[in-house]
Amino acid sequence: MTRSPAWHARIDVAGLVEGSGFLVSDRTVLTCAHVLGHHDRAEAVFPGAPGLAPLAARVVARGAWAGGDRDPGDLAVLELERPVAIAPAVFAAVDAPHASPSPKLVAYGFPHGYGEEGVQSELVVTSRQLIGSEWAQLEFARGYGQQTDRGFSGAAVMLEGTGTVAGMVVSHDPVTRNSRMIPATVLARHWAPLGDLVPTPGYPAEEKRGLRRLVARSPAVPGPLDRLLRDAAGPLRVDLPPGEPRSLWEAVWYLLSESTPTADALPLAELAVRLGGLVGDEPLGRELREWARAHRARHDAPRPWSITPPGPVAPPAPPPAVPVPVPVPAPSPAVPVVPPVRRWSPILVEIRRSGAGRNALLVEVSAYRDGSRRLVGEERLAEREVRAWVLDRIDDAFAEIDPEGRELIAFALPRGWLNKPVDRWAGRKAMSTPLGCVAPVVVMDHDRRASGRLQFRLKKIWDVLDRQPGSAVHRISCTGPVRPERLTVQLQDVTGPVALTRPPKAPRDRALHGAVLDAPAPIVLWPRTGCPGGAECDGACRGEEFLDALAERLAALPPGELPEQILALRKTAFAHDGPEPHWAAELSFVWEDPRWFPAVPRLSGTPVG
């Protein structure tokens, strides 16, 4: 004969039997807030443990219940005066009450006349849908029998077959004879520690406990919580709740209970990273990012080596070798020939003007793994703060990318920033090495990333570039009447690198650069300190020397290998000790292959937020 679990409790208040409860730890009992009313103390009696005397208990937490019959959050947490040697209740899987056929549910209550030993009521859940996002409706399993009357409030609703708990009885309608239950997932929404115990597939209890404790330490989040939840869920196939969450924990618990993590959909990692940038506490922010990194690592699986990018558009397999139509010179022995890269592990730094102030910027660092984007950090910063913050987050991003690939650091920048020396960014210490000398660094144009037409064109161009064994440079020289309005059309049939002699500083040069980017040329290079002359330049200038040297270095290399070759060039230029700077010392390098950077949602900050 099966005994009733000993964790069922009777709750006495001021010497009167007021309701039920159930043990969830060796010292914690859950019941309804209305069972206690305004009282902060009660007694818990365990009829299933006859040798155990009544235990004094005090209220340590309450839900949002305000006294009304239909108020949400009708939950109270009691702490017993001492631990008890009773195995606590175990919670059922979220979908267990909704199996087919409907399982029998049992509630154990203490109505009038049964105050000592209690009585059971047999129930079934009416529907998966909740009433007011708070209650599940219960009906009698057989249409007759013991009603869940006064004295059942706070009782666990237990699956008879397994003895696990699906929720808590909260009310009874004497006319319809129907009851209401607060499901376990809703109970955990109102009291965060219960989230450690309620099953959430894909999220182990210890992992949930770590996140819950970090959330408890987090101060109030600036801005609406529904936006934080929406930005964290993004395109990750999570249906968001109507309205705004009432607390940060409620937003976190929604994702815990409503999403199952997969390698390409980890919304809680996104939320933890975004929260880390909002809390205004760097140690706490780092702990949140570390939680996200560990959560993602748990879902990483070793991947076989691949010769194609993991993005949604894969390049075709290389065809058999074809003869090069024109002879190309061999690369200079001063720069070593770099072995081909078979797979990139990209890190993306996005910098935008926020509109909140003249120098305010929205900065985001992401890592890409197996074709999916992983947010590493997001912040609104003054321009003077960007470099140090970005370098720190890039360090964090290295823990997120696939170690089997070659790291590639890409800066997606406004056009006015494309000439900035981001490849020379280094830490504040005098001995720090420039970023562009430790990993391939490329820049991309935000305007192009926002244009579906240009992204489509770039992917089509790369289908051609993947077949090219070399990278013949198309030169835009100082001499000649190049008209920006015609250059975009002229470059439509150019698939290789485009190189200019001047940086985009003067108005005409900015127009030329814009025309090249709009072509769209996937590979663009120029010297940041190029030809200083104006329209009268006779072509005998540093800019022309730059084009000559660049053409010699790149001619025999496939376009996909150029980031590695530019890295080698930057190392050579950094070590150069000659009387004049190395010709590649201030080289800007746009290299954009959209297949490695699948489209990502815009930054969460509003332009004037």
Side-chain angles (χ1 to χ4, degrees):
M1 183 175 180
T2 303
R3 295 180 56 204
S4 178
W7 45 256
H8 289 294
R10 188 185 80 213
I11 305 301
D12 297 351
V13 181
L16 299 176
V17 176
E18 292 291 346
S20 303
F22 56 103
L23 192 72
V24 295
S25 78
D26 63 355
R27 202 175 174 180
T28 307
V29 171
L30 297 189
T31 187
C32 289
H34 78 258
V35 168
L36 300 168
H38 63 277
H39 295 277
D40 290 327
R41 295 193 174 274
E43 273 192 342
V45 180
F46 296 91
L52 184 63
L55 290 166
R58 65 185 183 93
V59 178
V60 293
R62 293 179 186 267
W65 182 75
D69 290 341
R70 294 295 181 262
D71 286 345
D74 191 355
L75 167 71
V77 182
L78 293 170
E79 182 183 77
L80 302 177
E81 60 181 322
R82 59 178 174 83
V84 294
I86 297 174
V90 174
F91 285 89
V94 173
D95 286 337
H98 309 291
S100 181
S102 298
K104 185 194 296 184
L105 306 176
V106 176
Y108 193 116
F110 301 89
H112 181 71
Y114 296 93
E116 290 298 322
E117 71 280 11
V119 68
Q120 295 178 343
S121 182
E122 298 180 8
L123 308 159
V124 292
V125 174
T126 303
S127 168
R128 289 176 179 270
Q129 295 193 6
L130 297 184
I131 300 170
S133 299
E134 180 81 8
W135 305 284
Q137 183 170 307
L138 301 173
E139 297 177 350
F140 287 110
R142 292 181 291 183
Y144 58 89
Q146 174 63 51
Q147 298 185 40
T148 54
D149 205 343
R150 174 182 169 86
F152 275 87
S153 293
V157 178
M158 180 179 69
L159 276 77
E160 186 184 53
T162 62
T164 53
V165 175
M168 182 175 74
V169 176
V170 69
S171 67
H172 171 74
D173 188 329
V175 177
T176 64
R177 294 171 60 94
N178 292 332
S179 304
R180 286 186 176 183
M181 168 182 79
I182 303 179
T185 54
V186 178
L187 292 173
R189 181 206 303 165
H190 292 297
W191 187 53
L194 201 60
D196 302 349
L197 306 177
V198 175
T200 46
Y203 301 103
E206 189 57 37
E207 186 176 67
K208 291 189 291 183
R209 186 177 297 111
L211 179 59
R212 173 176 61 79
R213 289 171 176 169
L214 292 172
V215 168
R217 289 167 51 195
S218 300
V221 175
L225 288 171
D226 61 330
R227 190 177 73 190
L228 175 64
L229 187 59
R230 182 176 64 252
D231 293 337
L236 301 178
R237 304 184 297 278
V238 180
D239 293 329
L240 298 180
E244 182 176 356
R246 287 167 288 190
S247 68
L248 180 57
W249 167 252
E250 185 172 321
V252 170
W253 179 247
Y254 185 85
L255 293 180
L256 275 170
S257 58
E258 296 292 334
S259 67
T260 300
T262 60
D264 62 343
L266 298 168
L268 268 172
E270 292 279 314
L271 187 144
V273 170
R274 293 178 188 277
L275 181 60
L278 295 172
V279 294
D281 179 332
E282 180 53 29
L284 176 57
R286 181 163 293 278
E287 289 183 63
L288 284 161
R289 292 191 296 273
E290 288 172 352
W291 184 93
R293 186 158 54 246
H295 176 57
R296 287 166 171 160
R298 202 168 54 77
H299 293 275
D300 289 337
R303 303 279 296 191
W305 188 267
S306 170
I307 63 171
T308 59
V313 179
V322 295
V324 180
V326 294
V328 293
S332 167
V335 179
V337 175
V338 181
V341 171
R342 291 186 176 273
R343 190 169 80 190
W344 294 112
S345 288
I347 296 170
L348 176 63
V349 180
E350 294 194 84
I351 302 175
R352 306 172 187 268
R353 298 207 175 275
S354 75
R358 188 175 63 177
N359 293 319
L361 298 165
L362 291 172
V363 188
E364 186 176 275
V365 176
S366 303
Y368 284 83
R369 188 178 179 115
D370 299 328
S372 63
R373 164 192 169 277
R374 298 178 170 192
L375 182 67
V376 176
E378 179 190 69
E379 195 76 77
R380 179 181 284 107
L381 300 165
E383 187 169 333
R384 66 180 182 278
E385 302 170 319
V386 170
R387 184 189 67 169
W389 187 90
V390 164
L391 292 174
D392 283 345
R393 295 301 170 270
I394 287 176
D395 279 348
D396 293 342
F398 273 90
E400 301 276 10
I401 59 176
D402 188 346
E404 292 186 0
R406 179 65 162 105
E407 65 270 26
L408 175 69
I409 302 172
F411 283 77
L413 304 170
R415 285 203 176 172
W417 273 55
L418 290 178
N419 197 51
K420 287 189 178 290
V422 293
D423 57 284
R424 298 182 67 87
W425 281 6
R428 301 185 185 279
K429 298 178 181 178
M431 298 301 293
S432 292
T433 305
L435 189 63
C437 290
V438 298
V441 174
V442 303
V443 297
M444 301 188 295
D445 173 35
H446 264 316
D447 288 355
R448 296 207 302 196
R449 278 181 60 76
S451 168
R453 176 180 62 84
L454 294 180
Q455 292 294 293
F456 175 83
R457 286 286 302 135
L458 285 167
K459 291 173 185 176
K460 299 290 285 186
I461 292 170
W462 274 101
D463 286 344
V464 177
L465 291 175
D466 286 334
R467 298 181 174 90
Q468 293 184 181
S471 299
V473 175
H474 182 87
R475 305 162 66 110
I476 299 180
S477 303
C478 297
T479 58
V482 181
R483 296 178 60 179
E485 62 271 19
R486 294 183 179 176
L487 184 58
T488 296
V489 175
Q490 294 169 358
L491 290 175
Q492 293 294 313
D493 299 323
V494 174
T495 55
V498 175
L500 302 97
T501 57
R502 297 175 180 170
K505 293 182 177 178
R508 181 177 180 274
D509 293 320
R510 286 196 293 272
L512 286 176
H513 280 250
V516 173
L517 294 169
D518 288 341
I523 304 168
V524 189
L525 306 100
W526 67 88
R528 286 189 288 265
T529 55
C531 171
E536 71 281 358
C537 177
D538 60 5
C541 65
R542 279 204 312 272
E544 291 293 338
E545 295 171 3
F546 171 84
L547 295 187
D548 293 340
L550 194 66
E552 181 184 359
R553 298 298 189 270
L554 305 188
L557 292 169
E561 296 175 21
L562 296 191
E564 284 280 8
Q565 181 66 12
I566 298 303
L567 169 64
L569 268 174
R570 285 169 172 160
K571 289 180 178 179
T572 301
F574 185 71
H576 181 69
D577 287 328
E580 294 291 331
H582 190 276
W583 65 269
E586 293 290 343
L587 183 149
S588 281
F589 179 40
V590 169
W591 185 92
E592 184 170 1
D593 184 345
R595 300 168 301 179
W596 292 104
F597 300 96
V600 298
R602 288 186 175 273
L603 297 175
S604 63
T606 59
V608 294

